[in-house]
Amino acid sequence: MRVTLRNKNTKDYWNDRWKNAPPDALPSNDDFYPMCFVKDLIQTESLSAGGQFLKHKFLEAGCGNGRIMHYCASRNIDITGIDYSVEAVNNLNTYYPALKVTHDNIFNTSFKDGVFNCVFAFGLYHNFCYLDAKRALIETNRIMKNDAVLCCSFRADNLQSWLIDMTKSSRRGATDFHKLNLRRAEIHTL
């Protein structure tokens, strides 16, 4: 496991990023990351649900500017989004009030046990130190139904991510946590 540092704490980084970025519109192409995985999962779940698919409840944890939420909502999927960035939630509620988005924390959400059939969490867990990522995954498991699906991403500890980190001049001299870079076995252990 390798940790990447930055010059700003994680919460301030994401608030600044979402403050300065417009909310996402409906993606025009679903053949690229992360939409390709969302599309595949939705198609698989739809086929396996035997007509009950539209009764499934989905969550996008760390929804940011709403790309996945737009995609799912356009397909009549019951999806809720949460983010701990006040800026992201305010943007989505202002520009897209029909989307169900709330300010919440994946360490201790306001949801009851076993609510969701599927949780999307792209670019979320690796933004936490190891123990916090573990806490977030425990909470995610709590709010998922027993047969639910977690569709998420982690940053790989590989040559490509190491080179990117080494070439980012803005990270030189950084002291604040940025992300976890994990090997496959570490992801499975987590």
Side-chain angles (χ1 to χ4, degrees):
M1 171 179 3
R2 186 173 54 81
V3 172
T4 302
L5 301 176
R6 72 159 61 102
N7 294 318
K8 186 182 287 190
N9 72 60
T10 301
K11 190 168 189 170
D12 288 344
Y13 170 85
W14 285 109
N15 273 325
D16 287 349
R17 180 167 176 181
W18 298 134
K19 180 179 180 180
N20 296 313
D24 291 332
L26 181 64
S28 59
N29 188 334
D30 58 10
D31 292 327
F32 300 99
Y33 172 86
M35 302 316 301
C36 59
F37 298 108
V38 174
K39 176 179 74 173
D40 288 348
L41 182 70
I42 289 170
Q43 289 172 346
T44 302
E45 284 295 302
S46 180
L47 292 173
S48 67
Q52 300 299 311
F53 175 68
L54 292 180
K55 294 181 181 177
H56 283 17
K57 294 182 74 65
F58 287 70
L59 174 70
E60 183 180 7
C63 65
N65 275 0
R67 181 175 19 169
I68 293 170
M69 292 195 62
H70 278 289
Y71 184 82
C72 291
S74 73
R75 284 152 179 78
N76 297 317
I77 292 169
D78 182 4
I79 187 164
T80 300
I82 62 169
D83 205 293
Y84 78 167
S85 168
V86 173
E87 295 293 340
V89 172
N90 288 346
N91 281 344
L92 285 172
N93 285 329
T94 298
Y95 291 97
Y96 301 108
L99 294 176
K100 295 187 296 185
V101 183
T102 59
H103 182 254
D104 212 337
N105 188 325
I106 195 60
F107 300 135
N108 185 26
T109 68
S110 58
F111 301 111
K112 294 180 181 177
D113 294 354
V115 174
F116 297 102
N117 300 90
C118 178
V119 174
F120 296 114
F122 294 103
L124 177 65
Y125 302 116
H126 61 255
N127 282 289
F128 305 124
C129 69
Y130 186 84
L131 292 177
D132 284 346
K134 188 173 184 174
R135 280 180 46 214
L137 284 163
I138 290 168
E139 177 65 5
T140 302
N141 187 60
R142 182 190 69 76
I143 62 176
M144 292 172 63
K145 293 184 178 186
N146 288 337
D147 59 348
V149 175
L150 173 60
C151 187
C152 64
S153 64
F154 288 91
R155 291 290 181 149
D157 185 5
N158 60 21
L159 180 59
Q160 179 184 8
S161 66
W162 182 83
L163 287 171
I164 291 169
D165 288 347
M166 292 301 111
T167 59
K168 294 280 186 177
S169 60
S170 65
R171 296 202 181 120
R172 291 195 180 111
T175 58
D176 289 328
F177 177 86
H178 175 50
K179 66 181 176 185
L180 285 178
N181 302 274
L182 301 167
R183 297 195 181 275
R184 181 182 304 245
E186 292 167 334
I187 292 169
H188 287 286
T189 299
L190 187 60

